[in-house]
Amino acid sequence: MTTAKNTRLSSSHARPHNTARPLATRQSTLGSGLATTDSGYVGKPTCDKCRTDEFVYLESYIPPTYRRDGAVATLGEVAYTCTHCEEFSAHSVPVTWTPPGWYLG
C-alpha cells in the first residue's frame, strides 16, 4: 500500500470535522502532516457526508501495537479523504480492521 501526502491539507487550512462524533481532543502525527484525531471514536473509514466507504482514499494507516501478553496497547489509526466530497478524517480503527490487501511482512 502506498501512502500519499495530502498537499491540500495543512494545519492552517484544516477543515472542521462536521460530524456528531466528539471533537478532537488530541493531536497525532498521521501521515506526513499534523492531523487531528477523534480520541473517542473507533470505526471503519467511512465518509460521514456521503455515508459510504466507496470513495475513501487512505492517506495513512498505523497498525495497532500489542503488549507482550498479547493485549492491545494502542489501537490502529487511519487518516483518509473522501474523493467524492473532499472531506478529510482521521481516527482510531477497530483492532480487527486493516486496509484491503494490507499485511505485516
Side-chain angles (χ1 to χ4, degrees):
M1 177 176 153
T2 305
T3 56
K5 181 179 178 184
N6 188 348
T7 57
R8 295 184 306 184
L9 183 70
S10 69
S11 59
S12 63
H13 294 93
R15 288 179 258 171
H17 195 264
N18 299 329
T19 67
R21 298 178 191 157
L23 294 174
T25 56
R26 66 183 175 96
Q27 297 289 318
S28 176
T29 54
L30 291 171
S32 58
L34 192 63
T36 59
T37 60
D38 295 336
S39 62
Y41 180 75
V42 178
K44 295 189 266 184
T46 303
C47 178
D48 292 327
K49 192 172 184 180
C50 297
R51 301 282 186 216
T52 182
D53 63 354
E54 183 178 354
F55 306 107
V56 167
Y57 175 79
L58 294 178
E59 304 284 344
S60 66
Y61 170 67
I62 301 171
T65 57
Y66 297 90
R67 296 187 187 113
R68 287 185 163 202
D69 64 359
V72 176
T74 60
L75 291 174
E77 293 184 347
V78 67
Y80 56 94
T81 301
C82 176
T83 59
H84 183 70
C85 68
E86 298 184 358
E87 289 290 318
F88 176 82
S89 187
H91 55 80
S92 297
V93 291
V95 175
T96 57
W97 187 88
T98 58
W102 187 88
Y103 65 94
L104 186 60

